[in-house]
Amino acid sequence: MTTLATYKRWLANRPVSVHLLLSLIAFCWLSAKLIGWKVWVAERTFPVIAPFDLLYQVPSAGHWVLLGLSIILLVLLIIKPGNKYAQCTLFFSEIASCLLDENRWQPWEYLYLFILGIFILNRTKLSHVAACLVITLATVYIYSGLHKFNESFIINMWQTTILKRFFKVPPVLYKAGWMHYLGYLLPFIETAGGLGLLFSKTKKTAAVLLTAMHIFILLLIGPIGLHYNKIVWPWNTVMILLLYFLFIRNQMISIVERRGLEIRNKIILVAWAVLPALNFIGFWDNYLSWNLYSSRIPRMIICIKDTAATTPLRSYYSGNHTSKICNGKVLLNVQDWSMREMAVPPYPEERVYKRMEVQWNKTYPLAHADFVIYYSPFKKDSASSINQ
């Protein structure tokens, strides 16, 4: 016991290199790439949605080359996280790959890419990296929590997903008024936890609460739970590790709490503390503003009249095939289609759905499909058709 206690004290006092964090991030990033590899290639039924028409001219081989390069560089960063050439090459190759398809702008990809940028900007002053990471993580939790303060989150996530599907709570209980409002504790804990990370006296308590939140998320959507959205399993894992090394173990923060905000790092304050606030007035994207699991993002369904023209998509049709929502036409839920084929959700922006309609009509011109954008919960009178 004495030997074990001595080892634990030695381990707790041992300095942690920030490069270890980058190595852990690279490992989880690579895991996500392999799980959702199909979003990074063009050979799939789900349309590639480029932000500019010119980018559709990039051949399929270009997508594969960028994916292969990404995998090689991530493996290299796992082994040698301090390699500046690997860092810079990965940074720009990931930007190039994401420009080819907006569905690749996943929140975990955005976070990993931005953290990589922090390392590149501060490669000569690694002591500043942790301070930048504190701001990054805190604002992620703050904005993610704020977006969940709405009734749609309480009904869809708290009552339906957590209480009904996960805990098997009977309707008479999960529909009770006190149980309904108890759900608001979830966004409160997340928002308060993010704020707590910014202050010395509260950072450890906040980190412990947020770690418990991530563990619960893994239990909820992991193999022993609902087994859903496995692309974010590595993301939740790495967030636990970052919370531990940055705030609970507390080896890096004490020397940088009042530093790290030089002019070149002010971009972090802008990107992570200011720009996400614009989402509340519709001027910044949902995923880039950490609007996650809030049930307040746009979704789209496709109502197909002539299914003979969409044979490759037959396995992605909704379970009942025909739907009252589609007035007897076959319903294709874009969210389900994307998750089942690519293991990632579609990028939830109306402009992306409109571009998707254009690509669909080029591929399936005889399907005579209707495209309907809606916000949860679905209400037929408030849904909007984007047919031209």
Side-chain angles (χ1 to χ4, degrees), residues 209-257:
L209 284 174
L210 293 170
T211 298
M213 180 190 76
H214 284 292
I215 292 173
F216 174 73
I217 291 172
L218 288 171
L219 291 173
L220 175 67
I221 65 175
I224 66 173
L226 303 179
H227 203 277
Y228 179 75
N229 203 8
K230 60 184 178 181
I231 198 78
V232 301
W233 298 354
W235 183 20
N236 279 275
T237 302
V238 81
M239 293 297 275
I240 291 172
L241 294 172
L242 289 173
L243 287 169
Y244 173 73
F245 285 117
L246 287 170
F247 302 99
I248 298 175
R249 184 164 176 170
N250 199 27
Q251 287 296 316
M252 289 184 256
I253 303 303
S254 60
I255 61 171
V256 295
E257 280 178 335

Side-chain angles (χ1 to χ4, degrees), residues 21-312:
L21 299 183
L22 185 56
S23 183
L24 294 171
I25 289 168
F27 179 80
C28 292
W29 197 349
L30 176 63
S31 300
K33 283 274 186 176
L34 296 177
I35 292 171
W37 67 271
K38 213 163 187 181
V39 74
W40 302 98
V41 299
E43 283 89 354
R44 64 188 199 222
T45 63
F46 200 92
V48 171
I49 310 297
F52 309 107
D53 290 342
L54 180 65
L55 296 176
Y56 287 115
Q57 305 303 316
V58 176
S60 173
H63 296 253
W64 280 102
V65 168
L66 288 170
L67 174 60
L69 180 61
S70 174
I71 292 173
I72 292 171
L73 291 169
L74 284 169
V75 171
L76 181 57
L77 286 180
I78 292 172
I79 301 170
K80 293 186 176 182
N83 189 308
K84 63 180 181 181
Y85 300 108
Q87 291 177 8
C88 292
T89 305
L90 178 63
F91 184 81
F92 290 109
S93 66
E94 284 297 296
I95 290 177
S97 184
C98 288
L99 282 175
L100 297 180
D101 185 358
E102 288 192 70
N103 291 302
R104 297 169 186 172
W105 300 7
Q106 297 295 313
W108 46 268
E109 171 74 10
Y110 182 51
L111 178 63
Y112 293 153
L113 188 60
F114 208 89
I115 290 176
L116 180 60
I118 289 173
F119 275 86
I120 293 171
L121 282 175
N122 296 281
R123 62 187 180 84
T124 59
K125 293 185 178 181
L126 291 177
S127 62
H128 292 177
V129 169
C132 296
L133 291 179
V134 169
I135 297 170
T136 301
L137 295 185
T139 50
V140 167
Y141 291 118
I142 292 168
Y143 281 110
S144 180
L146 289 175
H147 282 292
K148 294 181 178 70
F149 279 103
N150 68 82
E151 279 291 292
S152 293
F153 170 80
I154 300 301
I155 294 171
N156 293 334
M157 290 303 301
W158 171 242
Q159 290 185 332
T160 304
T161 302
I162 298 175
L163 296 181
K164 179 182 177 180
R165 295 180 59 196
F166 184 65
F167 286 116
K168 311 297 183 185
V169 174
V172 67
L173 186 56
Y174 73 70
K175 289 184 178 180
W178 67 271
M179 183 66 80
H180 174 87
Y181 290 106
L182 189 64
Y184 281 102
L185 280 176
L186 300 181
F188 175 79
I189 290 172
E190 188 171 10
T191 305
L195 289 169
L197 295 179
L198 297 172
F199 302 98
S200 300
K201 293 182 179 180
T202 58
K203 62 188 176 187
K204 284 190 177 182
T205 301
V208 170
L209 284 174
L210 293 170
T211 298
M213 180 190 76
H214 284 292
I215 292 173
F216 174 73
I217 291 172
L218 288 171
L219 291 173
L220 175 67
I221 65 175
I224 66 173
L226 303 179
H227 203 277
Y228 179 75
N229 203 8
K230 60 184 178 181
I231 198 78
V232 301
W233 298 354
W235 183 20
N236 279 275
T237 302
V238 81
M239 293 297 275
I240 291 172
L241 294 172
L242 289 173
L243 287 169
Y244 173 73
F245 285 117
L246 287 170
F247 302 99
I248 298 175
R249 184 164 176 170
N250 199 27
Q251 287 296 316
M252 289 184 256
I253 303 303
S254 60
I255 61 171
V256 295
E257 280 178 335
R258 300 179 181 276
R259 298 159 54 193
L261 294 181
E262 296 177 344
I263 293 178
R264 59 184 175 181
N265 286 320
K266 295 293 178 66
I267 188 174
I268 295 169
L269 279 176
V270 173
W272 294 88
V274 179
L275 292 181
L278 299 179
N279 177 263
F280 293 106
I281 55 175
F283 289 107
W284 197 245
D285 285 359
N286 289 299
Y287 276 178
L288 307 188
S289 305
W290 308 108
N291 188 356
L292 313 173
Y293 295 101
S294 70
S295 298
R296 295 299 299 162
I297 58 176
R299 295 194 174 189
M300 186 169 76
I301 58 174
I302 303 175
C303 301
I304 306 169
K305 182 178 181 180
D306 189 350
T307 56
T310 59
T311 302

Side-chain angles (χ1 to χ4, degrees), residues 1-11:
M1 292 294 293
T2 303
T3 304
L4 179 60
T6 302
Y7 172 75
K8 287 183 176 180
R9 285 196 298 271
W10 171 82
L11 184 63

